[in-house]
Amino acid sequence: VCMFRYKVMSARLFQCDGTAFNVPPPSAPIRHIRINSVTPQKNSKKRKHRKMTDDTSSSSAASVIRSEPQDEKGAEGMYERVLVDAECTHDGSIKHMLKYKDKDWKDFETKVLVPERLQSLSKLQYNLLKNGFRLLKSGGVLVYSTCSFCKAQNEEIVSQLLKDFSRARLLSPPPLLHPSPSNDSQGSADHKYRPKMGLIENTLRFDPITSHTSGLFIARITKDPNGN
């Protein structure tokens, strides 16, 4: 549904483990939406996705669900752009938090704030980012994002990548996303939707007070062509 809402009429969609994704980029231009399954799925899931395929086909975009095995040669260093929109606690999303408010926050405490859940989530986030960086070309750009305010899900994940990979470098924000001046926290006309600097340089944080949006963290990372 989102693909058509934003008029994305040519893409590959994969149902797979993002921490191990290893399929190379397409060798030819994509002229329709393809729904791919990297790993074998149960029959019930296949039927569900076949129905989704039929629905998208009726909307004038040819969609195909097929098995696309991991390439033995791999896809390391083959993607110019990588987006890691990581699973998170969604505590920065006003829409998500309002759902918990209606239930007196009990579900948020039991489903989100359990220590074991938070620990496994941080591990997942780092592994998603690490694999995304592995797939990134030298000089390419990777964006890591969450809709959480938590430092452990944002700056700490990015810092760990920078520590583990000497070629990882944070990029400065593009002009349209330059942080608001520190004395403009109320948001003037020129900076109303601008974020503020994150807890480490060249990372960004959006929030209801500074940018008049839900919470969002963004870090732009490149792979240094001259590194080891």
Side-chain angles (χ1 to χ4, degrees):
V1 175
C2 288
M3 303 298 289
F4 296 106
R5 178 184 301 171
Y6 298 108
K7 298 182 180 180
V8 178
M9 303 306 292
S10 59
R12 296 187 303 171
L13 304 179
F14 289 90
Q15 181 183 8
C16 64
D17 178 3
T19 66
F21 180 81
N22 202 35
V23 178
S27 57
I30 300 173
R31 304 188 184 281
H32 55 266
I33 295 176
R34 294 208 317 249
I35 303 174
N36 303 276
S37 175
V38 172
T39 55
Q41 304 297 322
K42 295 181 180 180
N43 291 334
S44 60
K45 290 186 177 181
K46 284 185 177 180
R47 286 195 296 270
K48 177 180 179 181
H49 284 281
R50 284 197 183 101
K51 184 179 186 303
M52 181 170 62
T53 297
D54 294 339
D55 291 343
T56 53
S57 296
S58 63
S59 300
S60 75
S63 300
V64 179
I65 182 167
R66 66 181 188 176
S67 176
E68 187 157 344
Q70 307 278 24
D71 193 300
E72 291 183 359
K73 298 180 180 179
E76 184 171 348
M78 297 184 69
Y79 284 86
E80 295 181 358
R81 298 289 185 270
V82 175
L83 171 62
V84 179
D85 187 20
E87 172 68 20
C88 66
T89 51
H90 304 292
D91 56 276
S93 170
I94 297 174
K95 181 178 179 180
H96 278 82
M97 297 307 289
L98 287 175
K99 296 178 182 178
Y100 291 113
K101 179 183 177 182
D102 295 337
K103 299 180 180 179
D104 296 325
W105 303 103
K106 292 181 180 179
D107 283 355
F108 186 71
E109 294 177 4
T110 57
K111 295 181 179 180
V112 179
L113 299 182
V114 178
E116 292 80 6
R117 158 69 174 161
L118 294 176
Q119 184 177 5
S120 64
L121 183 59
S122 294
K123 182 178 179 180
L124 171 62
Q125 290 165 334
Y126 180 70
N127 286 335
L128 288 170
L129 179 57
K130 182 172 68 172
N131 193 47
F133 185 75
R134 182 184 68 83
L135 299 173
L136 188 67
K137 276 186 177 182
S138 294
V141 177
L142 178 154
V143 172
Y144 174 78
S145 64
T146 76
C147 55
S148 172
F149 291 120
C150 298
K151 179 182 177 182
Q153 299 179 53
N154 298 325
E155 287 91 352
E156 289 185 7
I157 300 296
V158 172
S159 295
Q160 188 64 49
L161 183 83
L162 298 176
K163 178 181 177 182
D164 292 346
F165 294 89
S166 60
R167 297 179 65 188
R169 301 280 189 275
L170 276 170
L171 293 171
S172 59
L176 286 176
L177 290 180
H178 279 174
S180 296
S182 57
N183 61 352
D184 192 36
S185 61
Q186 297 303 314
S188 67
D190 293 336
H191 301 92
K192 184 174 181 181
Y193 301 108
R194 296 283 182 99
K196 63 183 179 182
M197 188 69 73
L199 301 179
I200 56 177
E201 188 176 3
N202 289 329
T203 60
L204 299 174
R205 282 175 171 263
F206 292 77
D207 64 65
I209 296 176
T210 305
S211 55
H212 302 263
T213 65
S214 287
L216 181 67
F217 173 85
I218 296 177
R220 296 172 72 241
I221 301 168
T222 190
K223 183 180 288 185
D224 188 349
N226 300 318
N228 297 320

